[in-house]
Amino acid sequence: MTVAVRSFAKINLGLYIGSPRSDGYHHLRTIYQTIALHDLIRVGTARGAGIEIVCNDPRVPLDSSNTCYRIAERVIHELGAKRRITIEIDKHLPVQGGLGAASSNAIATMIALECALKTNLSPPARLRIAAEVGSDLPLFLIGGTTLGVGRGEEVYPLPDLPSLPLVVVTPEIGVSTPQAFTDWDSRSDGRIRPSVRAQLGTTPPCQLTPSSPSDRLVEVGCVLSAWLSGSPSTGAPAKGGSRAEKLLLDLVRTGIENDFEKVVFPIYPELRDIKGELERAGSRYASLSGSGSTLYGLFRSPVEAKKAVSRLRKQGLKAVATSTLTRQSYWKRILDC
Ligand code: C5P
């Protein structure tokens, strides 16, 4: 039996890096947002044993270091299944691109494997296995707009952003996330910014109450809540399209930032230039996603996003217009293939 699952990408709407933890990871606070770009994962089961990975992109490892392999062996062990597993990765998303593709591929594998084996893991087992394989996996068990804390693996669903037009630019550069964290540590020279220490370092893992009103990610959460309740404080007009535009402008005003830009842009100045190009092409908010190298820009309308794509492609950039994906669309479309 073969099961196909769409493996959607994510972007980060702001990312704060906190102090290094005793386990070598860093405290993190971010808002993950799933988007409509995706890979396709096909999982087949047959008599026998072993895990085989097949992929159309030579940069993807086919051995036991692959996140799909690592999650499949854990799922099989947890379910006590004795089958041969074949995982085919139809790759369209960038490798080491900051769009969470390897993490998303692993979650798609888990979902497809459960379907193929006609058995379910418990939700806590899914979360535990996902977090064991990587910090960026659990978000794909929620989808839509999600708050990530801890080392990024502790996830909480946020009120969903509406579907927003987006342009994604994927430069031919692979950025190593562990290296970017190391660069962050050398940049701050062991001295963690006091504001970040106050917000992250002393926050117990399960406490979501902000410890400082200056936390801009919390401000973003407030903007989202106000938008959803139609609060007059946001001045949100009634009509769908213009409300989305108002929300976008409010998010931009909160000045959300991705800390990775501070260490990745000095090494790859061309990425800073691309962010500038997205802004010049009319983006309301442009940023690096995760540790990059992907950059994205949020636009007011699909028409504006398409115009920006033509302009960026003329400059030789690999750009594509897409949209953010709400939680409902994420789960509706994940198995619809
Ligand atoms: O969890 P994941 O396998 O994605 O992390 C890859 C590497 O990135 C870790 O080994 C660690 O070096 C770094 N990392 C970190 N702090 C985080 C997440 C990842 O230092 N919050």
Side-chain angles (χ1 to χ4, degrees):
M1 177 176 186
T2 301
V3 176
V5 170
R6 286 199 180 97
S7 166
F8 291 104
K10 61 84 183 160
I11 52 171
N12 296 81
L13 297 169
L15 191 154
Y16 282 76
I17 307 173
S19 49
R21 313 188 327 177
S22 53
D23 60 5
Y25 286 87
H26 292 72
H27 288 282
L28 208 81
R29 194 175 287 192
T30 187
I31 293 177
Y32 299 111
Q33 174 64 55
T34 45
I35 64 170
L37 300 181
H38 62 87
D39 290 336
L40 190 65
I41 303 293
R42 288 189 199 86
V43 172
T45 59
R47 256 188 301 204
I51 300 168
E52 188 193 0
I53 311 252
V54 183
C55 183
N56 58 346
D57 187 326
R59 290 170 302 176
V60 174
L62 305 179
D63 60 12
S64 60
S65 67
N66 189 299
T67 51
C68 298
Y69 189 108
R70 292 172 59 215
I71 206 156
E73 66 181 352
R74 284 169 171 80
V75 171
I76 293 165
H77 180 259
E78 186 83 11
L79 295 173
K82 290 182 173 55
R83 303 285 286 167
R84 174 166 184 75
I85 311 295
T86 308
I87 304 162
E88 190 187 333
I89 307 169
D90 192 358
K91 175 94 5 228
H92 302 281
L93 299 172
V95 177
Q96 284 196 317
L99 292 179
S103 305
S104 172
N105 289 175
I107 294 299
T109 299
M110 180 189 248
I111 294 168
L113 197 47
E114 285 183 63
C115 284
L117 296 170
K118 294 191 175 65
T119 177
N120 284 331
L121 291 164
S122 68
R126 273 189 207 125
L127 265 175
R128 171 176 48 77
I129 292 172
E132 267 172 33
V133 175
S135 309
D136 268 2
L137 270 72
L139 82 104
F140 293 107
L141 289 170
I142 296 183
T145 313
T146 307
L147 176 68
V149 295
R151 59 179 167 91
E153 93 292 9
E154 205 187 308
V155 283
Y156 300 88
L158 285 174
D160 245 344
L161 277 166
S163 179
L164 296 168
L166 180 80
V167 171
V168 171
V169 180
T170 49
E172 294 291 324
I173 294 171
V175 177
S176 155
T177 303
Q179 187 57 48
F181 275 112
T182 306
D183 294 343
W184 175 265
D185 289 341
S186 4
R187 173 188 181 272
S188 51
D189 199 19
R191 284 176 283 111
I192 307 304
R193 290 167 298 162
S195 60
V196 172
R197 188 191 298 283
Q199 288 163 26
L200 302 175
T202 58
T203 306
C206 57
Q207 185 193 317
L208 282 176
T209 313
S211 51
S212 161
S214 67
D215 185 339
R216 273 174 285 176
L217 283 178
V218 172
E219 285 177 42
V220 173
C222 293
V223 168
L224 290 182
S225 307
W227 187 87
L228 281 169
S229 63
S231 149
S233 68
T234 65
K239 294 254 162 57
S242 47
R243 276 197 79 205
E245 185 185 325
K246 178 75 182 63
L247 169 67
L248 196 48
L249 291 174
D250 282 346
L251 287 177
V252 174
R253 262 182 231 122
T254 59
I256 49 176
E257 283 174 9
N258 178 349
D259 275 341
F260 276 124
E261 289 186 356
K262 298 182 183 90
V263 285
V264 174
F265 283 176
I267 299 169
Y268 303 104
E270 59 270 45
L271 299 183
R272 185 189 279 117
D273 295 344
I274 295 172
K275 177 174 168 172
E277 290 304 339
L278 273 162
E279 286 165 349
R280 278 187 285 282
S283 168
R284 291 299 179 186
Y285 175 75
S287 173
L288 191 70
S289 182
S291 57
S293 62
T294 298
L295 293 123
Y296 68 85
L298 297 172
F299 284 79
R300 270 189 300 207
S301 71
V303 174
E304 285 191 15
K306 279 198 188 119
K307 268 192 207 155
V309 165
S310 320
R311 180 183 156 128
L312 293 163
R313 283 185 183 165
K314 277 186 199 134
Q315 294 166 339
L317 295 168
K318 207 170 147 202
V320 62
T322 182
S323 63
T324 62
L325 204 57
T326 62
R327 190 164 302 124
Q328 199 184 17
S329 306
Y330 177 80
W331 287 109
K332 188 160 174 276
R333 294 185 53 193
I334 207 165
L335 277 173
D336 181 26
C337 46

